[in-house]
């Protein structure tokens, strides 16, 4: 083994000499020294996969050990991604299989006392169904253009989105929406009363649907009208400080009710998109044995 190592060292040394003679040896050495260390953000991707698996744990009335627990919706996925310093780029579904493209490294994960430069921006693709062992992730080339089609860096766009999101302690905490009308006005009151948004946050463009498909009214610029009937879950699309969010109003107290929409849905921000996101699974995997 030692002889093979020596031979390999001599080979690499010879390559370096040839490269230097060609005038590119210095460039190769510079790239090696300046290439970002991705180990920290790769570790976050692995931790995200593990945490998603905990929330997807299937078993009859099993505790599951999930970070958030309760009905698994797009909100669960977004909350987990943001906990690990990233943003959801897109989410596609084909039957029970879901594919999520994620950008990590936008900021250090919550509670991490490290230099942000230790987390270079990287992208990953996650696939999952139900069950703790269903989560798989692979590397993904990050998008070269902004999701809104404007010039600039997609990482900078999503970083700015982070800065505009409400940063209260209750954003991802479970809460029941029982007692609040399934209307744009009721949705706004729920957000204020449960401190999902602060007094300084601006809530606009509120529109909702019952998950059964009945269309409610729409609120724009403060005008609110309409009501959803015929279902006990009300899905809402709205903008908080200009950033599109989805809200799932139900009597369930053990779920993530509010989350930022994926990057590829930020421009449209439609109630029908909120319905799909709210009903990703719509049930608690831990109670499906």
């Amino acid at each position: 083994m030692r002889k093979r190592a020596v031979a390999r060292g001599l080979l690499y040394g010879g390559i370096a000499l040839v490269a230097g003679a060609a005038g590119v040896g210095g460039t190769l050495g510079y790239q090696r020294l300046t290439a970002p260390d991705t180990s920290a953000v790769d570790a976050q991707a692995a931790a995200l996969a593990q945490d998603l698996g905990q929330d997807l744990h299937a078993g009859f009335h099993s505790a599951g050990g999930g970070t958030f627990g309760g009905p698994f919706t797009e909100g669960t996925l977004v909350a987990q991604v943001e906990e690990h310093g990233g943003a959801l780029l897109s989410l596609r579904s084909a039957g029970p299989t879901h594919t999520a493209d994620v950008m990590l490294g936008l900021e250090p994960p919550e509670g991490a006392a490290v230099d942000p430069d230790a987390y270079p921006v990287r992208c990953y693709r996650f696939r999952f169904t139900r069950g703790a062992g269903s989560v798989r992730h692979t590397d993904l080339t990050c998008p070269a253009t902004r999701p809104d089609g404007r010039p600039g860096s997609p990482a900078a766009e999503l970083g700015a989105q982070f800065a505009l999101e409400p940063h209260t302690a209750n954003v991802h905490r479970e809460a029941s929406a029982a007692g609040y009308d399934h209307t744009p006005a009721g949705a706004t009151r729920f957000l204020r009363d449960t401190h999902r948004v602060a007094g300084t946050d601006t809530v606009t463009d509120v529109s909702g649907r019952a998950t059964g498909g009945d269309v409610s009214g729409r609120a724009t610029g403060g005008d609110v009208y309409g009501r959803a009937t015929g279902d006990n879950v009300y899905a809402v699309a709205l903008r908080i400080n200009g950033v599109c969010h989805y809200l799932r109003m139900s009597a369930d107290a053990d779920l993530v009710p509010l989350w930022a929409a994926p990057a590829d849905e930020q421009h449209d921000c439609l109630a029908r998109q909120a319905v799909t996101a709210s009903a990703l699974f719509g049930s608690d995997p831990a109670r499906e044995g």
Side-chain angles (χ1 to χ4, degrees):
M1 179 176 292
R2 180 176 177 81
K3 289 181 179 179
R4 286 200 298 269
V6 171
R8 190 162 53 241
L10 291 173
L11 175 62
Y12 290 163
I15 292 174
L17 288 174
V18 172
V24 298
T27 300
L28 292 174
Y30 176 79
Q31 289 176 345
R32 181 175 181 181
L33 290 174
T34 59
D37 180 3
T38 65
S39 59
V41 73
D42 287 340
Q44 286 305 313
L48 172 58
Q50 182 178 12
D51 287 346
L52 284 175
Q54 290 177 340
D55 276 327
L56 289 165
H57 181 93
F60 184 67
H61 283 228
S62 168
T67 305
F68 293 99
F72 192 105
T73 69
E74 186 180 270
T76 313
L77 173 62
V78 170
Q80 288 283 17
V81 172
E82 291 189 359
E83 287 281 346
H84 290 84
L88 179 63
L89 297 172
S90 65
L91 179 63
R92 302 175 299 282
S93 300
T97 302
H98 305 283
T99 302
D101 290 349
V102 170
M103 179 181 286
L104 297 180
L106 291 172
E107 61 181 28
E110 292 189 8
V114 296
D115 186 340
D117 290 341
Y119 291 89
V121 170
R122 298 202 72 201
C123 295
Y124 306 86
R125 176 162 291 167
F126 288 79
R127 288 189 173 91
F128 59 91
T129 55
R130 284 180 172 86
S134 71
V135 184
R136 300 286 185 272
H137 74 283
T138 57
D139 293 348
L140 177 70
T141 301
C142 285
T145 58
R146 289 170 44 138
D148 62 8
R150 297 178 181 177
S153 162
E157 177 189 7
L158 292 172
Q161 176 181 309
F162 258 134
L164 292 172
E165 287 186 31
H167 292 284
T168 68
N170 296 330
V171 170
H172 292 151
R173 187 176 300 172
E174 66 277 3
S176 171
Y180 289 90
D181 291 340
H182 284 182
T183 63
T188 303
R189 282 196 300 273
F190 171 76
L191 292 173
R192 297 290 186 191
D193 291 351
T194 59
H195 305 291
R196 261 81 192 155
V197 295
T200 55
D201 291 320
T202 302
V203 179
T204 58
D205 300 331
V206 186
S207 62
R209 289 176 185 246
T211 57
D214 295 333
V215 180
S216 81
R218 180 177 180 85
T220 304
D223 296 329
V224 178
Y225 57 93
R227 175 178 293 274
T229 59
D231 208 319
N232 63 352
V233 175
Y234 184 58
V236 183
L238 67 154
R239 294 191 184 276
I240 302 175
N241 303 328
V243 177
C244 180
H245 283 72
Y246 298 144
L247 171 68
R248 186 181 195 264
M249 296 179 67
S250 80
D252 292 316
D254 54 348
L255 79 160
V256 177
L258 178 71
W259 63 95
D264 66 344
E265 296 178 10
Q266 281 290 322
H267 177 71
D268 295 332
C269 202
L270 302 175
R272 62 175 175 78
Q273 295 170 325
V275 170
T276 301
S278 173
L280 182 63
F281 285 145
S283 60
D284 186 351
R287 295 182 179 271
E288 297 178 3

